[in-house]
Amino acid sequence: MNVAPEMNMKPEDIIRRAYDPERFRQAGHQLVDELADHLAATLPGTELPVLPWQTPEQAYEQVQKLVDQDAETLFSATLLHTIRLHHPHYAGHQITPPAPVAALAGLLSDLVNNGMGVYEVGLLGTAMERYVIKTVAHQFGMNDQADGFLTSGGTLGNLTALLAARRSQSEKDVWQEGDTGEFSVMVSDQAHYCIERAARVMGWGQQGVIPVPCNDRFQLDTSSLERCLHEARESGRTVIAVVGNAGSTATGSFDDLHGIADFCERENLWFHVDGAHGAAVAFSEKHRELVTGIERADSVVLDFHKLLLTPALATALIFREGEKGYQTFAQKAEYLWSDGQSEFWYELARRTFECTKTMYGLKVFALLTEHGTPVLEANIDCVHERARQFAELIAKADDFELLLEPQTNIVCFRYIGQPRDHLAESALNELNQTIRDKLTREGSFYIVQTDWQRTTWLRTTLANALTTPDDLQQLLDRIRTLAKTGAGQ
Ligand SMILES: Cc1ncc(COP(=O)(O)O)c(C=O)c1O
């Protein structure tokens, strides 16, 4: 039913119609039914495609045709043409298939539209956010001094953490006086590009990031830290922080957090952990050891929308000494009680980059209420186990090559053909790129790719806990078929 305004309708009546509770009830019930059907059809993986590929031009053409339709037609078309994260053949970018209860919380948040910037327009959502932050800090092994907030993605979380680092480490008041671009952070060459972007946003230019080499497992080589720091200082840079990866974007590698923490303590540097992807393992008894040392970080970013069943976006930024989070944007230290705790934990915009934001806390809190932390642990354990099994399958196949044993749910590999094929490196790169394109266009599997030292690797993030070893065997078989039936043509 299209409810576009009729001729000569009064503005108030147009608005009243837009708010009509009965219309909402009807369209809402139908949408929830369709979403439930979508889940039921997608979860078993028997229906393809996982990605109904169309060109951007085709998509735009279709959207133009939808503009005069009603909401029901629009929602059905959107569902028909969406990538399906709940499909067991989804193994692409690092986005989690959300638990339905968290998506329902998103709908609730969108309708009541709490602004969250100040307590009066956040109320329960503000308190939920605090609960979520305290829960995460506890999982990291931090004490009650730890505090933080939820923010709009790992990119903004990392920028905010580095702003706090600059405020804390700088001898002058950079908030009042600005800086002259002399600061730098040290980070491995495997860091997500948002770290470099943050440094450039702060006006530090290319020198704002001092790249530290990695070992052959793509982990920051802690033995190079001293040399890199020395060279940076020699060239006039003021290094304020080291950023550790937990884990890295391309390969999911975890840096030695204790090693970096020792170095930062010795050199009086801020220690930030980009745990957007992997800090989630703190919720798993089995995999927590990957982030030992995280409790010593000054700040940590964790994305709930990567491994923890929460719709995008929901990012936690935690400060080990919670009060440091209040300094970032503050004029004076008027916000602290004598015991170092802030009086204003419930006035979120004092600490966040955003003014208005959605009720991120509600989505995570809904998950915790309905399923508890065991659902987070179960998800982490399943996807890690699946990655281990996939790596095992690849290692056993002599026509595939594994880049490295996975530490998390990210597995990088490539098709190399039989030894007798003797394909040149450039031909192999082209073949793997073409295979990936074909998989995407036929919609049988969704995987991505990464380039490392002029070699193209197929990259899978096993985001779906219900992907089975059989699905993964099917992926390898499909790649073989595409390779042999002329994916390169
Ligand atoms: C390690 C790491 N940090 C930060 C980000 C950026 O996070 P977001 O996409 O939530 O901004 C990513 C995204 O893939 C990542 O892998």
Side-chain angles (χ1 to χ4, degrees):
M1 182 176 71
N2 186 302
V3 288
E6 287 148 26
M7 290 280 282
N8 304 325
M9 266 181 102
K10 287 200 289 194
E12 292 79 1
D13 290 338
I14 294 174
I15 299 301
R16 217 164 266 123
R17 185 182 266 198
Y19 287 143
D20 182 5
E22 288 314 313
R23 169 77 186 125
F24 174 66
R25 195 187 308 280
Q26 175 204 344
H29 278 270
Q30 184 166 331
L31 176 59
V32 170
D33 281 345
E34 277 195 58
L35 287 171
D37 290 346
H38 170 83
L39 268 183
T42 306
L43 286 168
T46 40
E47 265 185 28
L48 283 175
V50 57
L51 167 73
W53 170 257
Q54 56 189 145
T55 65
E57 289 71 28
Q58 287 166 334
Y60 189 58
E61 208 175 297
Q62 192 182 358
V63 163
Q64 283 168 312
K65 286 186 194 141
L66 282 168
V67 80
D68 294 330
Q69 306 291 315
D70 56 18
E72 284 89 339
T73 310
L74 170 64
F75 294 156
S76 302
T78 307
L79 265 178
L80 201 61
H81 291 278
T82 178
I83 187 163
R84 298 174 171 194
L85 269 62
H86 296 87
H87 196 292
H89 290 193
Y90 176 88
H93 289 291
Q94 301 147 271
I95 322 169
T96 192
V101 70
L104 286 175
L107 173 63
L108 166 54
S109 166
D110 282 353
L111 190 83
V112 298
N113 216 13
N114 287 197
M116 301 296 293
V118 297
Y119 175 67
E120 290 155 12
V121 287
L123 302 174
L124 225 53
T126 306
M128 287 177 201
E129 182 160 330
R130 184 175 216 210
Y131 184 91
V132 168
I133 289 296
K134 292 288 178 189
T135 303
V136 173
H138 175 75
Q139 291 299 135
F140 287 165
M142 293 176 176
N143 65 26
D144 289 347
Q145 295 296 312
D147 202 353
F149 46 82
L150 296 173
T151 188
S152 310
T155 300
L156 191 65
N158 281 320
L159 171 62
T160 312
L162 294 180
L163 284 166
R166 181 179 65 171
R167 188 84 198 259
S168 175
Q169 294 292 110
S170 175
E171 279 167 16
K172 63 180 180 184
D173 183 350
V174 285
W175 192 249
Q176 295 292 17
E177 299 168 37
D179 74 33
T180 46
E182 72 271 32
F183 296 118
S184 295
V185 295
M186 293 163 69
V187 65
S188 94
D189 53 20
Q190 292 297 304
H192 189 261
Y193 70 82
C194 70
I195 301 296
E196 182 182 337
R197 186 174 281 187
R200 288 179 188 265
V201 164
M202 288 189 275
W204 307 342
Q206 192 183 357
Q207 298 292 308
V209 167
I210 310 292
V212 182
C214 280
N215 62 22
D216 59 2
R217 298 195 44 76
F218 300 89
Q219 297 158 319
L220 181 142
D221 174 19
T222 46
S223 68
S224 298
L225 280 169
E226 204 157 315
R227 178 182 54 79
C228 291
L229 178 64
H230 178 75
E231 286 171 7
R233 284 178 174 160
E234 286 283 290
S235 67
R237 306 300 301 176
T238 303
V239 176
I240 56 164
V242 181
V243 179
N245 283 320
S248 63
T249 306
T251 60
S253 300
F254 285 77
D255 291 343
D256 167 10
L257 302 185
H258 270 308
I260 301 176
D262 289 344
F263 179 77
C264 287
E265 275 172 24
R266 224 169 31 242
E267 297 292 342
N268 189 26
L269 298 172
W270 183 279
F271 176 25
H272 174 62
V273 173
D274 180 1
H277 181 84
V281 300
F283 283 95
S284 160
E285 198 68 41
K286 198 162 168 193
H287 298 286
R288 182 173 298 149
E289 62 172 7
L290 288 167
V291 290
T292 51
I294 203 166
E295 69 282 2
R296 296 170 65 191
D298 292 289
S299 52
V300 183
V301 155
L302 159 64
D303 281 354
F304 278 90
H305 53 275
K306 287 193 167 47
L307 267 172
L308 296 176
L309 302 170
T310 309
L313 296 164
T315 295
L317 171 54
I318 311 280
F319 294 93
R320 178 169 45 82
E321 295 171 52
E323 72 220 47
K324 297 254 169 87
Y326 291 87
Q327 294 169 9
T328 320
F329 306 114
Q331 309 290 342
K332 297 187 214 132
E334 64 198 357
Y335 42 82
L336 294 179
W337 282 331
S338 51
D339 63 359
Q341 290 286 3
S342 173
E343 181 182 356
F344 296 118
W345 66 265
Y346 47 84
E347 300 295 2
L348 289 168
R350 286 175 183 254
R351 289 181 286 163
T352 58
F353 207 107
E354 305 97 323
C355 173
T356 305
K357 62 178 189 183
T358 64
M359 297 167 84
Y360 297 128
L362 175 62
K363 297 185 193 178
V364 182
F365 198 76
L367 254 178
L368 296 179
T369 310
E370 177 103 333
H371 304 288
T373 53
V375 77
L376 307 181
E377 180 165 29
N379 196 57
I380 289 160
D381 290 354
C382 284
V383 297
H384 277 72
E385 176 59 7
R386 217 56 76 233
R388 194 194 60 73
Q389 290 167 328
F390 189 37
E392 214 170 77
L393 282 178
I394 295 164
K396 273 196 212 140
D398 55 9
D399 50 349
F400 283 93
E401 184 182 5
L402 185 66
L403 176 57
L404 77 166
E405 285 298 325
Q407 285 190 291
T408 180
N409 61 331
I410 297 173
V411 183
C412 296
F413 67 105
R414 63 177 181 153
Y415 179 77
I416 50 171
Q418 297 295 339
R420 63 178 179 279
D421 295 345
H422 293 309
L423 287 173
E425 282 299 311
S426 59
L428 276 180
N429 285 349
E430 209 177 304
L431 179 59
N432 279 280
Q433 284 157 17
T434 312
I435 287 170
R436 192 203 91 85
D437 286 349
K438 287 239 167 178
L439 288 171
T440 307
R441 276 158 184 69
E442 72 182 20
S444 57
F445 288 88
Y446 184 63
I447 67 172
V448 292
Q449 70 185 52
T450 186
D451 289 332
W452 174 244
Q453 293 183 336
R454 291 195 290 279
T455 301
T456 298
W457 297 89
L458 301 174
R459 176 172 169 274
T460 51
T461 303
L462 299 172
N464 189 328
L466 301 182
T467 297
T468 64
D470 189 46
D471 292 313
L472 299 169
Q473 185 59 57
Q474 284 177 39
L475 170 59
L476 296 185
D477 291 344
R478 187 68 197 143
I479 291 174
R480 275 190 190 108
T481 307
L482 288 175
K484 287 182 186 142
T485 55
Q489 288 165 10

